[in-house]
Amino acid sequence: MTISEYSPPPYSSENTEENKDYLSHLNTEQRNAIETTDGPLLVLAGAGTGKTRVLTTRFAHILLTGRAKPWQILAVTFTNKASREMRERVNAILGTETERLWLGTFHALCTRMLRQHPECAGLTHNFTILDTDDQLRLLRQVMEPWHIDTKRWPAPGLMGVIQRWKDRGLTPSAVTDAEDCDFAAGHARAIYAAYQTRLRELDACDFGDLMLHVTEMLRTHPEILAHYQRLFRYILVDEYQDTNTVQYLWLRLLARRQGEVSNICCVGDDDQSIYSWRGAEIANILRFEQDFPGAQVVRLERNYRSTRHILGAAAGLIAHNTERLGKTLRTGRDDNQPAAKVVVTGVEDSEIEALAICTEANSLHRQGHSLAEMAILVRAGFQTRAFEERLMQTGLPYRIIGGTRFYERAEIRDALAYLRLLHNPADNLAFERIINVPKRGIGPASLQKLHTASRSEQVPLFAGTEMMLSRGELKGKIAEHLNSFVSALLSTQSLLQREGHVQAAEYLLEASGYLDMWRNDRSPEAPGRLENLKELVRALTDFGTLGEFLEHIALVMEHDDKTASEAKLSLMTLHGAKGLEFDIVFLPGWEEGVFPSQRTLDDGGQKGLEEERRLAYVGITRARLHALIYHAGRRRTYTGWQPSMPSRFLDELPEEHVTRKNDGIPRQKSLRDESLFSQGIMNNGHRQGSFSAPSGGPSFQPGEQVTHPRFGNGIVLNVEHTHLEIVFENGQTKRLLSSFVKKI
Ligand SMILES: Nc1ncnc2c1ncn2[C@@H]1O[C@H](COP(=O)(O)OP(=O)(O)OP(=O)(O)O)[C@@H](O)[C@H]1O
Ligand SMILES: [Mg+2]
């Protein structure tokens, strides 16, 4: 990589000079990155060096220097939260609300493009975006004729395979024989094709399709491609290290015009690449200069976010990775300020860990730190439960970022299904979800009847039901119930035209009997559910149309989001925290088998471990003032208490930047081969936590028959120091820690 010299902007009109205040708070390299507006540019820099800030200011700069109109800039962020922030920052610099911006996540931008030309993907203007629940339900239906052994190949696993293909931009016909892995007994590609066909029939697409359809469209429709290429004079991309193949292809299509230079600016940090499991390709960043000839590369080295101890600890940790481009980070903050070291605390067990963190958060809160400036960042979703319970008991307001809370609730999903059906009566999945909620006496048999009738007439379920009713093919109570269901929906449709979506939504939930169902429910949760439904209707008022609202929901359900009014402590996964910053960051569960994760340890490869380490780096570098790391000596799992060992990452933190505390368990330099471990073996036989194999453990021979709790029976191929290479009955070969393997 070359480091660009400072080059003056190609032009600067006089009347913009007075506006250049917005550049005055930036350092020379940052200004350089902003003022090099024309031609391809890669900003490659570590955490907190102002990459996002550069991108935002660049956006404003392009507008203020008259290089483009607001809608001629395409700006891609990684999360909805980030796009909101960028929009706010751009507005603040410009001093006005700018509308019609092409600013959002890859998915949001693609949704918008797809809405403009849905016919290219065989969809109508009102197409539905399915949530994960519906995706799975549909996939299960599609899989049926194949009689797949779902114990061996469960639907979510197959969904994963399909999603990875979509991440790589592969339509069913593009999946090669070699790609068509042995998953689902070799039928994965065929099921993928059938699933896509079903989606089209339903006038729906799943999340992965948004990128795939649009990229296909741009590939196959040169006139549409040319339109967007002309439209977007400038392209800005945040978190470039985490783009997957299909996103990369999409960008490349839009950015490369024959014989012209592309004004594409990507910012990223190879040390923060944490989405390879979702198909992200770090190679994209390395290839930038080849893809965009004449590209300049700017590096930023001054970190404005974190204290020197936080930076020192993070730098010491990430230095253990070998696959790095290598960067220096210096603190850009005032060095004379006293800074706290990173604190590593060992506690007895996971419950005490939750208690310790809540107590600490509470006391910092009392000292004047806002809860909005605190976050608990966990490695895996399951860890949040203990914190949720403890936070509720402590009475600390908190929010879970990651979309699991509000929109995941059953009553909200039901209500959304009603609204989806209102918006698009062909939405069969929505129909199926609510046709018997509240109870209308429609069991599987009646539903089957509706299906058969609709299929033979080639109409959606709703229209099929109407038809059966009008022909008198339904009888008794069922006919009565369905009649009132159909007329509720039809009268809401005309209300929607006359009165708008908010009134219509309220009316539909009432007329369908859905609200009454909860009013008559005696369970303690029912009042809360009614509150949530009210809140849902309230949320509708923020949107101009029902379609806009549903689209927004589909997008936030997949990503982060929560509206913030009261200051609240944030609870989220490390993956969700990318790009964010907080004064105080709590990092629990730094134990082998949690972080690095068990799956990474089982796989045994260096690549996985390096990605976990990058995740740890992301975690520490979210903190401005305090990073507080915890590890517990035991952790509660579904099988009971299991001993756990401190994470190897703790040993990799440089001592001069760390204070180590001990609130309950002994911690020696290398506990991994210490007594706790062997106790674990004695007490449990089979442990959750994972460490190097004990000396004196069972020894294995190649050819021996063994069993593994996750992968089942297999035969040892190779014996290495702590690992075994095993071929399992399903034909997969894995390298696994020997301590998990038993002889049979
Ligand atoms: N020149 C500067 N002077 C003062 N503060 C700055 C400067 N540049 C950036 N900052 C501040 O530093 C913090 C980090 O900036 P930003 O979030 O843009 O970094 P980043 O490189 O995008 O980080 P990440 O890699 O975590 O996404 C922000 O609070 C930002 O406002
Ligand atoms: Mg950033």
Side-chain angles (χ1 to χ4, degrees):
M1 295 256 172
T2 52
I3 299 173
S4 73
E5 296 298 313
Y6 176 78
S7 54
Y11 72 86
S12 54
S13 64
E14 282 159 41
N15 62 356
T16 59
E17 287 305 318
E18 65 201 71
N19 283 330
K20 287 212 171 166
D21 264 7
Y22 61 92
L23 295 177
S24 63
H25 304 293
L26 299 167
N27 66 39
T28 317
E29 294 77 26
Q30 290 176 326
R31 289 182 67 136
N32 181 14
I34 290 161
E35 295 188 315
T36 311
T37 36
D38 294 354
L41 179 74
L42 176 65
V43 178
L44 185 63
T49 50
K51 294 184 296 298
T52 303
R53 190 170 174 169
V54 160
L55 219 52
T56 314
T57 317
R58 189 177 164 92
F59 196 121
H61 179 73
I62 291 167
L63 296 181
L64 290 170
T65 51
R67 286 174 163 83
K69 301 283 181 220
W71 57 90
Q72 292 173 324
I73 304 175
L74 178 71
V76 192
T77 61
F78 207 76
T79 60
N80 294 310
K81 188 173 165 55
S83 50
R84 241 189 347 257
E85 276 179 15
M86 189 177 280
R87 195 178 294 265
E88 279 162 18
R89 286 204 218 171
V90 170
N91 287 342
I93 295 176
L94 297 177
T96 60
E97 220 19 61
T98 31
E99 285 172 20
R100 293 197 288 159
L101 296 185
W102 283 89
L103 187 164
T105 60
F106 277 107
H107 287 113
L109 293 164
C110 277
T111 309
R112 189 160 153 199
M113 287 186 178
L114 198 55
R115 291 258 180 241
Q116 296 193 347
H117 320 272
E119 66 288 348
C120 295
L123 300 168
T124 76
H125 280 277
N126 284 347
F127 71 82
T128 313
I129 306 171
L130 301 189
D131 60 30
T132 18
D133 251 25
D134 288 338
Q135 280 171 33
L136 273 179
R137 204 133 38 91
L138 186 66
L139 184 65
R140 286 202 176 99
Q141 287 175 10
V142 169
M143 280 166 79
E144 264 167 33
W146 273 274
H147 304 291
I148 301 294
D149 175 1
T150 46
K151 283 222 173 58
R152 189 152 168 206
W153 292 295
L158 183 53
M159 197 75 237
V161 172
I162 294 176
Q163 294 301 352
R164 290 300 79 75
W165 279 334
K166 291 187 176 178
D167 287 343
R168 292 171 51 207
L170 299 175
T171 56
S173 59
V175 175
T176 60
D177 288 347
E179 301 276 0
D180 191 10
C181 52
D182 20 347
F183 210 89
H187 297 304
R189 177 174 51 181
I191 296 173
Y192 175 26
Y195 173 73
Q196 292 303 93
T197 308
R198 274 304 280 148
L199 281 171
R200 278 212 178 94
E201 284 167 9
L202 292 168
D203 195 15
C205 66
D206 71 14
F207 218 66
D209 283 335
L210 295 171
M211 293 296 316
L212 188 68
H213 285 333
V214 173
T215 308
E216 275 302 297
M217 171 179 89
L218 296 177
R219 253 193 209 148
T220 51
H221 293 74
E223 69 293 351
I224 299 180
L225 176 64
H227 161 75
Y228 285 117
Q229 284 179 334
R230 267 195 310 274
L231 179 65
F232 301 132
R233 298 192 176 185
Y234 292 90
I235 298 179
L236 311 173
V237 188
D238 202 359
E239 308 279 2
Y240 190 59
Q241 77 280 356
D242 278 324
T243 46
N244 62 31
T245 305
V246 71
Q247 292 164 340
Y248 165 82
L249 292 172
W250 180 81
L251 278 174
R252 232 180 51 175
L253 280 165
L254 291 172
R256 282 215 303 210
R257 256 189 295 173
Q258 210 73 49
E260 286 188 43
V261 238
S262 328
N263 299 322
I264 181 168
C265 170
C266 297
V267 310
D269 176 5
D270 57 307
D271 286 335
Q272 294 184 68
S273 157
I274 54 175
Y275 277 96
S276 72
W277 55 280
R278 240 168 49 177
E281 293 278 349
I282 196 156
N284 294 343
I285 219 172
L286 307 175
R287 221 165 33 193
F288 190 85
E289 286 171 292
Q290 288 159 30
D291 285 335
F292 301 104
Q296 301 203 46
V297 179
V298 174
R299 287 172 185 257
L300 310 173
E301 294 188 341
R302 218 166 294 169
N303 172 301
Y304 291 93
R305 180 181 293 147
S306 313
T307 65
R308 65 192 171 85
H309 286 309
I310 291 170
L311 280 186
L317 178 80
I318 200 69
H320 286 79
N321 272 7
T322 51
E323 290 190 7
R324 299 183 66 208
L325 296 174
K327 283 185 295 287
T328 342
L329 268 189
R330 294 176 277 127
T331 178
R333 295 166 63 103
D334 185 352
D335 253 357
N336 297 324
Q337 296 267 332
K341 290 189 176 183
V342 171
V343 181
V344 175
T345 307
V347 292
E348 197 173 317
D349 62 48
S350 50
E351 305 282 317
I352 296 179
E353 177 186 66
L355 178 66
I357 289 181
C358 292
T359 312
E360 185 72 34
N362 210 358
S363 102
L364 287 163
H365 182 41
R366 294 225 181 99
Q367 289 166 31
H369 289 282
S370 165
L371 287 172
E373 283 306 335
M374 295 183 205
I376 303 174
L377 307 182
V378 296
R379 171 65 186 89
F382 78 84
Q383 289 172 268
T384 56
R385 187 207 50 85
F387 291 104
E388 273 205 75
E389 279 173 22
R390 196 50 84 175
L391 284 162
M392 280 192 271
Q393 281 168 7
T394 321
L396 284 175
Y398 71 98
R399 58 195 172 132
I400 295 195
I401 301 195
T404 43
R405 255 185 144 185
F406 185 72
Y407 291 111
E408 293 292 323
R409 298 190 165 160
E411 70 277 16
I412 299 300
R413 302 185 82 111
D414 290 343
L416 287 173
Y418 273 104
L419 297 180
R420 274 165 45 191
L421 195 61
L422 174 64
H423 182 61
N424 180 2
D427 190 334
N428 281 358
L429 292 165
F431 180 97
E432 282 181 32
R433 181 174 179 111
I434 45 85
I435 190 57
N436 205 30
V437 186
K439 294 241 171 336
R440 299 188 178 95
I442 318 287
S446 322
L447 191 60
Q448 195 52 49
K449 245 195 208 164
L450 295 178
H451 262 297
T452 315
S454 313
R455 219 168 273 155
S456 75
E457 294 288 329
Q458 299 196 322
V459 291
L461 282 169
F462 183 74
T465 308
E466 264 186 295
M467 208 180 54
M468 288 183 80
L469 284 170
S470 68
R471 291 187 196 153
E473 289 170 5
L474 295 164
K475 300 261 146 34
K477 276 257 173 269
I478 291 190
E480 212 173 286
H481 284 312
L482 286 180
N483 240 327
S484 69
F485 170 76
V486 167
S487 59
L489 200 89
L490 292 178
S491 49
T492 314
Q493 279 174 345
S494 55
L495 189 72
L496 181 66
Q497 305 298 332
R498 289 198 315 272
E499 306 275 340
H501 59 298
V502 182
Q503 275 81 355
E506 249 174 326
Y507 176 81
L508 181 60
L509 296 179
E510 200 61 77
S512 60
Y514 187 70
L515 287 175
D516 272 341
M517 180 183 95
W518 290 117
R519 289 190 191 112
N520 298 331
D521 189 301
R522 295 276 150 257
S523 70
E525 296 91 38
R529 296 193 194 267
L530 286 163
E531 280 297 308
N532 290 337
L533 290 164
K534 261 196 215 148
E535 173 61 20
L536 180 73
V537 175
R538 199 212 56 70
L540 271 164
T541 58
D542 292 343
F543 295 86
T545 65
L546 186 55
E548 272 172 41
F549 172 75
L550 290 173
E551 185 165 309
H552 169 81
I553 298 302
L555 293 169
V556 296
M557 279 180 67
E558 193 68 18
H559 272 293
D560 62 329
D561 242 293
K562 282 287 113 58
T563 44
S565 44
E566 182 189 15
K568 288 180 184 140
L569 181 147
S570 302
L571 181 52
M572 65 180 109
T573 63
L574 287 159
H575 281 101
K578 205 164 66 128
L580 306 182
E581 55 186 24
F582 302 89
D583 283 347
I584 299 154
V585 171
F586 297 98
L587 298 160
W590 282 44
E591 295 138 36
E592 295 285 300
V594 177
F595 195 24
S597 72
Q598 191 57 48
R599 179 189 286 238
T600 311
L601 296 179
D602 288 346
D603 286 349
Q606 198 54 31
K607 269 195 170 355
L609 197 60
E610 296 215 348
E611 178 138 330
E612 293 285 300
R613 197 176 277 113
R614 289 195 291 271
L615 198 51
Y617 173 81
V618 168
I620 297 176
T621 56
R622 297 310 94 199
R624 295 193 194 101
L625 306 174
H626 299 280
L628 305 158
I629 302 175
Y630 293 78
H631 61 97
R634 305 190 294 167
R635 188 158 288 277
R636 186 142 45 194
T637 70
Y638 55 95
T639 51
W641 286 103
Q642 303 289 347
S644 50
M645 300 301 301
S647 168
R648 67 191 67 196
F649 299 149
L650 294 174
D651 289 341
E652 297 172 0
L653 300 171
E655 287 311 319
E656 66 268 33
H657 299 297
V658 177
T659 307
R660 299 189 194 256
K661 283 200 212 161
N662 215 320
D663 284 4
I665 56 161
R667 185 188 141 67
Q668 287 110 18
K669 187 81 184 114
S670 185
L671 260 175
R672 241 164 251 126
D673 30 58
E674 283 292 333
S675 57
L676 252 178
F677 169 65
S678 36
Q679 278 169 25
I681 292 273
M682 310 289 257
N683 297 341
N684 295 285
H686 161 61
R687 300 161 295 111
Q688 275 286 304
S690 159
F691 342 100
S692 307
S695 44
S699 64
F700 295 91
Q701 303 289 331
E704 240 174 341
Q705 294 212 357
V706 290
T707 181
H708 185 276
R710 187 172 303 170
F711 302 111
N713 297 344
I715 292 172
V716 177
L717 290 178
N718 255 314
V719 183
E720 293 162 35
H721 177 51
T722 52
H723 285 78
L724 300 174
E725 196 183 345
I726 301 170
V727 56
F728 288 97
E729 281 175 347
N730 65 3
Q732 282 186 319
T733 306
K734 294 213 169 284
R735 201 169 155 271
L736 300 165
L737 273 173
S738 54
S739 51
F740 272 88
V741 178
K742 276 199 216 142
K743 299 186 183 207
I744 45 176

